[in-house]
Amino acid sequence: MSDDYARGRRDGLRLALAVLAGEEAKWAALLGESPSWRTNAIRDVRHKTLRVAQTRIRTVLNRHAAKSGAEIDAELASALERVGL
């Protein structure tokens, strides 16, 4: 894998994690706030979906580290730490 491709892949994963963290925070703040049970149920499903997506991205990062034969580099580790994974 070329260095440019690997760097682009890491950048894309960092961007995805940042977007998901922002969306999860938005929906977490809205959980249970509506008087409508349907709205609350929809918000709960959206929040869980975002958490599953974050887990899937974490799996991709773990596979990427396993292929390279090294631990996750400091750049990825700091990005994961910022989003709480």
Side-chain angles (χ1 to χ4, degrees):
M1 186 179 328
S2 73
D3 290 339
D4 289 337
Y5 180 78
R7 185 173 36 255
R9 188 172 181 188
R10 287 192 305 269
D11 289 344
L13 290 171
R14 277 197 304 275
L15 178 62
L17 284 171
V19 168
L20 287 173
E23 286 294 312
E24 184 184 10
K26 178 179 88 172
W27 289 108
L30 295 174
L31 290 176
E33 293 292 320
S34 176
S36 169
W37 68 269
R38 253 182 220 176
T39 301
N40 287 330
I42 291 170
R43 288 176 179 170
D44 188 44
V45 168
R46 286 180 179 163
H47 184 252
K48 286 179 183 178
T49 302
L50 291 168
R51 290 177 60 198
V52 168
Q54 285 182 341
T55 303
R56 289 182 179 173
I57 289 176
R58 177 70 172 162
T59 301
V60 169
L61 288 172
N62 287 339
R63 287 181 182 160
H64 179 66
K67 285 182 182 178
S68 66
E71 294 295 321
I72 295 177
D73 63 352
E75 186 180 13
L76 286 175
S78 67
L80 291 173
E81 187 65 34
R82 278 184 292 199
V83 298
L85 290 177

